[in-house]
Amino acid sequence: MLTRENLVNLILALGLLAVPLAANALGQPFYITLATRVAILALAATGLNLALGVGGLVSFGHAAFFGIGGYVAGIVAAHNFSGDPLLFGFSGTNQMWIIWIVAVALAGLVGLAIGVISLRTSGVYFIMITLAFAQMVYYFAVSWPAYGGEDGLSILVRNQFPGVMTMVPLNYFLICYIILLLGIALFAILRASRFGAALQAARQNEVRVATVGIQPYRIRLTGFVLSAMITGLAGALFADLNRFVSPSMLSWHMSGELIVLIILGGTGRLFGPLAGAALYVAFEYALGGVTERWQFFLGLILLLVVLFARGGLLGVLAGKARHG
């Protein structure tokens, strides 16, 4: 059934695809890079949207998972280039699919460690604990001179994907675009599943959830870990896009940026992160060249969204969300 929201979602998906195709035809690779940035940020926000939009977990620690994914891509690629052993004789690789698996696994393990502790709290305490953990990871990266410290780590040549020339901007965009669609599909499946229903119920009334035999803590922990894994994958893609990874990917500003994307697009909405990422990157590009204070105007828009359009951009375009 083609509802109003499904139509808006389709327009967003096709619009994101159309921009780089048109830019490639016109010989404007810069706009392909912008579209790729939108796709990757949307994927990272989709991960957070599972925790925040479905589970009601306002995490200021997701930059840790984003940065971990980025550092996995950078470190593994650096060892592959130099030939120096990384772990147990493994000297790295330049194959993206292997890097993605490692990034997802490591982000999930760190998410599990953080979630086990932080999910024993709620409200502002949860926010502050996730922020504290993220800052610990951030300062660890800053004080790690072997991989650039605060100067970051360069990826000299973009990692490879079988059968695809990843250095071609349009090819790399298509990889990120397909992964974004798969990430959104996974989000939709999880949200519509019994697990998603339990996660939403735990957000609304954990006492009632416990009375029917479901443990809210385990449900939230599972959702938090899955959320971390998706965001970690986005971090690996982001590092390859820029061919550079730095502690800025781990900073609390990055966590705040992901939350802003979700609020702008629509909290809990299927394509909310994509709408928010597109709006954010568009403002960054359009106003960034005019003034260094472009985020002031973005802040005004965010304020208007919070006060008058709590459903975000999708709420304005598609109306009230119909999922539970």
Side-chain angles (χ1 to χ4, degrees), residues 53-79:
V54 181
L57 302 172
V58 184
S59 168
F60 256 90
H62 267 58
F65 314 129
F66 190 71
I68 284 171
Y71 269 93
V72 166
I75 291 172
V76 172
H79 279 268

Side-chain angles (χ1 to χ4, degrees), residues 44-216:
T46 297
L48 178 57
N49 202 25
L50 180 62
L52 194 158
V54 181
L57 302 172
V58 184
S59 168
F60 256 90
H62 267 58
F65 314 129
F66 190 71
I68 284 171
Y71 269 93
V72 166
I75 291 172
V76 172
H79 279 268
N80 177 75
F81 185 81
S82 67
D84 296 330
L86 175 59
L87 191 66
F88 304 122
F90 175 62
S91 59
T93 180
N94 62 357
Q95 294 299 310
M96 285 185 178
W97 67 273
I98 298 177
I99 291 171
W100 297 342
I101 292 173
V102 177
V104 167
L106 188 57
L109 287 174
V110 175
L112 178 62
I114 293 176
V116 163
I117 299 173
S118 61
L119 286 169
R120 297 186 184 279
T121 65
S122 60
V124 67
Y125 301 104
F126 175 80
I127 295 173
M128 296 308 296
I129 288 179
T130 55
L131 174 60
F133 275 115
Q135 288 300 99
M136 288 169 61
V137 177
Y138 168 79
Y139 285 113
F140 177 79
V142 168
S143 60
W144 200 6
Y147 297 111
E150 62 182 347
D151 294 326
L153 178 66
S154 295
I155 301 175
L156 298 179
V157 180
R158 182 172 291 157
N159 292 304
Q160 300 177 7
F161 189 82
V164 179
M165 181 63 70
T166 57
M167 288 300 295
V168 176
L170 183 61
N171 290 349
Y172 190 65
F173 164 78
L174 291 174
I175 290 174
C176 297
Y177 181 75
I178 291 171
I179 293 176
L180 170 62
L181 294 184
L182 292 175
I184 292 174
L186 177 61
F187 176 88
I189 292 170
L190 290 173
R191 189 182 66 180
S193 67
R194 294 174 62 185
F195 165 77
L199 186 58
Q200 293 181 70
R203 176 192 66 192
Q204 296 166 2
N205 193 322
E206 63 179 64
V207 176
R208 289 185 179 180
V209 171
T211 58
V212 297
I214 299 175
Q215 297 186 22

